[in-house]
Amino acid sequence: MVEHIDKIILIAGAVLIVLSLLTPLVNIFFRSRKLNIGTDVEEEEEETLPPLSLVITPHDNAYELERHLPTVLEQDYPQYEVIVVVSKGEDNTDDVLKRFQTKYPHLYVTFIPDSSRYMSRKKLAVTLGVKAAHHEWVCLTEPSSLPSSDRWLREMAHQCVDGHDMVMGYTNYDDDTSAYKRFELLYNQLYLFRQAIKGRAYRHAGTNLLFRKEMFMDGRGYEGNLKYIRGEYDFIVNKYAEKGNTAVALSPSAYTVECSPSTKTWRNTHLYYMESRKHLKRSCLHRLINNIDTLTLHVNYLLTLAAIIVAAILLVKDHYNPYPWVLLGASVVALCITVTLRTVFARKVIQRFQEDIPTWKIIFYELSILWHRIKYMIQYARADKYDFISHKL
């Protein structure tokens, strides 16, 4: 009987070592290590760059517009227009836009009709902006987002080639945002970029999307999901993505940088997605991959910690028995291997995306993502579901 237990201890130690080597490979950072971040493209011949229409849909964002519009309007791009869609009389947005229009002739303003009710105002604004666009390629972004460089549109438009109908760009948060929020945003976008590259895009978690006007209009825009208040980027990508038709622009100059979200905005982003994902195609596949990664992450740590506890208990009973020492040693080695591999894989990707996230926090952030999700699931379950839809559509 004792010999049988000793053999089990040896096998358990060996299994822990093997798991510590294998489970870090079931990890989005490991799978994204060869993601082509790319470098800024060489100067393009201007005739190869398609004319673009840039649509911005503010809502009480006069301050952000005043800060960010100059960078948007002074892009190093041969031919583009900026269309801002607003509600009449909205804070002092009108005054800000009038001042900019006198200086920038390629800035246009259109208004949401006062009579439009019982549908997502955000999606309506996007639709009006796309309809007003004079060019085939339309770029959608937010007033709270700032292009990372004056070559932003060039880097995005570099992917506007035959066979591509959409281009997804990376979005990060500004330096005032907590490291965890920046980590989670990167973590989520890695899954989405890989899905777009390897198969059929699922959704877009950023504020940096380029797509064909004809595709949007022929598909009747947001028809079928206008009643859902948010998810304007998600529903475009999910509805119009086909295998191979969605490119990903990841060079540093193609990034947009979003202002640090308030606690309310951060919470609402998660809650609105929990409503939207119920109506997105391919949601089960996306969540399955994510859940497998999360499960292996936690099972690995739980088994390792359980083995350490068991070894400690056995040593208290009989500290002369060498087998519990073997199990304890194997458990500690397995834990060190797991932490080291996961940190190294994540750190390489984080650096490639130019994110400043402390290395020692990576493991804690990985583990905490699940618990943050559970918290938002509870909040969503307790929320009034009418808060996520326009009530009378």
Side-chain angles (χ1 to χ4, degrees):
M1 182 66 179
V2 174
E3 290 182 1
H4 183 66
I5 294 176
D6 292 341
K7 287 181 180 179
I8 292 176
I9 290 175
L10 291 175
I11 293 172
V15 168
L16 288 174
I17 296 295
V18 172
L19 286 176
S20 71
L21 293 169
L22 294 181
T23 54
L25 307 184
V26 188
N27 176 357
I28 188 58
F29 290 110
F30 175 76
R31 295 200 299 274
S32 300
R33 70 196 188 285
K34 294 183 179 179
L35 198 64
N36 183 20
I37 306 299
T39 56
D40 296 344
V41 298
E42 298 296 328
E43 196 72 21
E44 292 269 358
E45 293 292 336
E46 293 199 351
E47 59 267 22
T48 67
L49 294 171
L52 300 179
S53 296
L54 176 60
V55 174
I56 302 175
T57 57
H59 178 67
D60 294 334
N61 295 108
Y63 174 71
E64 288 87 352
L65 280 174
E66 191 148 26
R67 287 182 58 199
H68 297 166
L69 265 182
T71 306
V72 170
L73 290 164
E74 295 172 5
Q75 286 287 298
D76 177 19
Y77 200 82
Q79 185 179 358
Y80 76 104
E81 63 182 0
V82 177
I83 301 170
V84 181
V85 186
V86 294
S87 300
K88 287 185 177 180
E90 183 180 293
D91 54 32
N92 61 338
T93 302
D94 289 355
D95 295 334
V96 172
L97 293 174
K98 285 176 182 177
R99 291 201 303 272
F100 279 113
Q101 279 184 300
T102 60
K103 183 178 179 181
Y104 301 99
H106 58 301
L107 172 62
Y108 302 89
V109 179
T110 188
F111 297 96
I112 301 174
D114 292 334
S115 59
S116 299
R117 295 185 177 89
Y118 312 132
M119 65 180 66
S120 167
R121 300 282 283 180
K122 188 74 171 178
K123 293 191 180 76
L124 175 60
V126 172
T127 302
L128 292 173
V130 174
K131 285 184 176 180
H134 295 96
H135 307 306
E136 170 61 8
W137 281 97
V138 177
C139 184
L140 182 62
T141 190
E142 296 299 311
S144 59
S145 291
L146 181 70
S148 62
S149 76
D150 64 356
R151 289 181 56 84
W152 166 52
L153 290 180
R154 282 185 178 269
E155 297 298 325
M156 292 290 288
H158 181 64
Q159 303 292 337
C160 295
V161 298
D162 291 342
H164 289 167
D165 296 319
M166 289 185 289
V167 182
M168 295 165 57
Y170 177 61
T171 299
N172 55 12
Y173 286 126
D174 63 23
D175 294 337
D176 294 332
T177 310
S178 70
Y180 172 76
K181 290 178 181 177
R182 286 184 277 117
F183 177 88
E184 186 190 290
L185 184 61
L186 170 60
Y187 182 87
N188 290 333
Q189 287 182 97
L190 289 176
Y191 280 100
L192 301 175
F193 291 150
R194 277 186 54 81
Q195 201 161 345
I197 293 169
K198 299 292 184 179
R200 190 177 176 189
Y202 168 57
R203 73 178 187 102
H204 187 38
T207 58
N208 191 4
L209 180 65
L210 194 61
F211 58 91
R212 292 184 185 271
K213 176 180 178 178
E214 182 181 16
M215 175 192 73
F216 184 85
M217 299 306 297
D218 288 351
R220 301 181 67 84
Y222 287 111
E223 185 178 68
N225 52 63
L226 265 173
K227 68 178 182 179
Y228 307 115
I229 294 176
R230 296 307 305 269
E232 49 277 4
Y233 294 84
D234 292 343
F235 283 112
I236 290 177
V237 172
N238 190 262
K239 182 175 180 177
Y240 297 105
E242 300 292 342
K243 187 170 183 178
N245 81 332
T246 308
V248 176
L250 298 179
S251 62
S253 293
Y255 297 172
T256 55
V257 182
E258 192 170 359
C259 294
S260 177
S262 66
T263 301
K264 180 180 178 181
T265 299
W266 177 253
R267 183 188 67 247
N268 286 345
T269 297
H270 290 78
L271 298 185
Y272 279 118
Y273 169 62
M274 287 186 179
E275 174 64 30
S276 298
R277 74 182 186 184
K278 297 192 298 185
H279 315 287
L280 296 174
K281 295 176 288 187
R282 303 179 296 284
S283 179
C284 290
L285 175 61
H286 174 80
R287 291 162 63 187
L288 175 63
I289 295 171
N290 197 300
N291 289 339
I292 289 173
D293 289 358
T294 303
L295 178 64
T296 56
L297 167 70
H298 287 81
V299 166
N300 184 24
Y301 281 118
L302 288 173
L303 289 178
T304 303
L305 293 176
I308 291 175
I309 293 171
V310 169
I313 293 173
L314 292 175
L315 285 172
V316 169
K317 292 181 178 180
D318 183 7
H319 61 275
Y320 292 109
N321 187 341
Y323 290 99
W325 287 106
V326 171
L327 180 60
L328 180 62
S331 303
V332 172
V333 169
L335 183 61
C336 292
I337 292 173
T338 299
V339 170
T340 300
L341 290 180
R342 285 188 172 275
T343 301
V344 169
F345 294 152
R347 188 61 192 164
K348 286 183 178 180
V349 176
I350 288 169
Q351 288 178 332
R352 291 171 70 193
F353 277 90
Q354 301 182 352
E355 292 288 2
D356 183 19
I357 296 172
T359 301
W360 67 272
K361 292 184 178 181
I362 289 173
I363 295 300
F364 298 104
Y365 287 164
E366 267 195 312
L367 288 167
S368 65
I369 282 178
L370 172 62
W371 308 108
H372 280 87
R373 287 178 181 166
I374 291 174
K375 179 182 74 173
Y376 292 121
M377 287 173 63
I378 294 172
Q379 291 180 349
Y380 174 74
R382 298 172 62 183
D384 183 349
K385 300 307 181 286
Y386 285 107
D387 290 340
F388 306 108
I389 62 174
S390 51
H391 298 205
K392 299 181 181 180
L393 186 65

